[in-house]
């Protein structure tokens, strides 16, 4: 919600949606905050070695929840990431969430392939930057590129990296990016971790 409210993205793309938890949170924020955003979830919805493999039932369940609520501004695109990149113009995307296959070569390809599509306001989110097992390589890519751009890293929930790749990205996210390397960053991380834990606790209770 904070990301959507702060940036007000014109185009949002998520690479790797699976059951849609993070993507539906984006959609909920767009809807409730009244932001004019076109949103796209891209996945082949067949699974992979880390998420497991599955059939059509996952996408069908997601469509059943998503379409009545969000299809006015959001689309679920069943495609490979490399095939879908041609649907977007260079400089079109304001907010990109990379959460597909997690091997280093896969996430590096996603980053390099989609980087030209990012706008001057462009921000890329990397999920799983804090997972160092089962051949996950997002952390390695993050450590190699974060120093090139304004950035901030959240540690909870397997980690989320926020990378300001656009020349003007720092304007919207200055308050967040300026915390990197400062003692105050710990308090911000703890605050978001508490909020996230509350969501998890509620889901488990339900």
């Amino acid at each position: 919600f904070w990301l959507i409210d702060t940036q007000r993205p014109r185009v949002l793309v998520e690479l790797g949606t699976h059951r849609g938890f993070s993507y539906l949170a984006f959609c909920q924020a767009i809807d409730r905050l009244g932001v004019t955003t076109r949103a796209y979830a891209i996945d082949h919805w067949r699974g992979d070695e880390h998420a497991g493999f599955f059939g059509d039932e996952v996408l069908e369940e997601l469509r059943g929840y998503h379409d009545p609520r969000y299809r006015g501004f959001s689309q679920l695109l069943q495609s490979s990431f490399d095939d879908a990149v041609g649907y977007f113009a260079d400089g079109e995307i304001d907010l990109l969430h990379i959460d597909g296959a997690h091997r280093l070569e896969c996430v590096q390809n996603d980053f390099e392939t989609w980087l030209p599509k990012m706008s001057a306001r462009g921000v890329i989110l990397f999920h799983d930057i804090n997972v160092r097992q089962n051949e996950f390589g997002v952390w390695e890519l993050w450590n190699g590129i974060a120093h090139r751009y304004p950035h901030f890293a959240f540690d909870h929930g397997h980690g989320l990296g926020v990378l300001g790749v656009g020349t003007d990205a720092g304007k919207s996210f200055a308050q967040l990016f300026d915390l990197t390397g400062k003692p105050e960053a710990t308090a911000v991380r703890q605050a978001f971790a508490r909020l996230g834990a509350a969501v998890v606790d509620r889901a488990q209770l339900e």
Side-chain angles (χ1 to χ4, degrees), residues 19 24 56-71 76:
R19 298 188 182 277
L24 292 172
D56 296 336
E57 69 280 356
V58 172
L59 178 56
E60 290 173 2
E61 183 178 356
L62 178 57
R63 286 196 188 281
Y65 186 90
H66 167 276
D67 289 358
R69 294 168 174 82
Y70 305 126
R71 63 182 169 189
L76 306 179

Side-chain angles (χ1 to χ4, degrees), residues 15-38:
L15 304 180
T17 298
H18 198 181
R19 298 188 182 277
F21 185 88
S22 57
Y23 186 72
L24 292 172
F26 284 133
C27 289
Q28 185 184 39
I30 291 166
D31 183 51
R32 290 197 182 182
L33 295 170
V35 181
T36 304
T37 301
R38 290 183 291 120

